[in-house]
Amino acid sequence: MLLPEILQKLNQQIEVEFYSSNLYLQMASWCEANNYTGSASFLSEHADEEMSHMRRIFDYINDTGGQALIPQLEQPPYEYDSLLEVYEAIYTHECYVTTTINELVATTTTSNDYSTLNFLQWYVAEQHEEENLFMGIVERIKMVDGSKLGILMIDKELSASALTRASSLSE
Ligand code: OFO
C-alpha cells in the first residue's frame, strides 16, 4: 500500500515522464521539418522510451494498490533556432527530471518506503545515462563550431544510434 504522499509524487512523476515524451516528439517534428532526419528518428525513438518510463510508474502504482492518474499536459515548445539549441534544451530538461527523481527517492527514504525506493533505483541509473548521453551530444555539436557539414555528420550518427537503441529495447 502506498502512502498518500508517495502516491501523489509518483503521479507527479507520471506527468514529468509524459511531458518528456511529448517534448521529444515535438522536437523530432522540428528536426524533420528542418531536415535533421537523423535527430528526428533519434528523438522520436526517445519519445517512445519516455512513454515506457511513464508506463512503468503507471503500472507500479496500480500494482501497489493506488490509482495512476493521466495528467493534463502543457504544450511543449515547438520553435528552435538550431539543432544545438534543441539538444541543450534536452540536457537542461533531463537535469530537471533528475531532480524530480532525487526528490522522490528522498521522500521514500524518509517515509521508510523501501519497496518504492527499490523501484526507483532503475530511474536513478537511467537519469545518469541520459544526462551523460545528451551532454555528449551537446559537446560534439559545439566541437564542430557551427560547421554545417559537421552538424549533418553528427545528425547522421544519431540516426544509426536510434536504430541501435530501438533494437536493444525490442530484445
Ligand atoms: Fe524518463 O528518462 Fe529521462 O527523462
Side-chain angles (χ1 to χ4, degrees), residues 17 20 24 46 50 53 93-94 97 123 126-127 130:
E17 304 292 340
S20 301
Y24 299 157
H46 211 79
E50 293 297 344
H53 300 173
H93 181 71
E94 286 298 334
V97 176
Y123 287 85
E126 179 71 9
Q127 282 311 120
E130 292 193 341

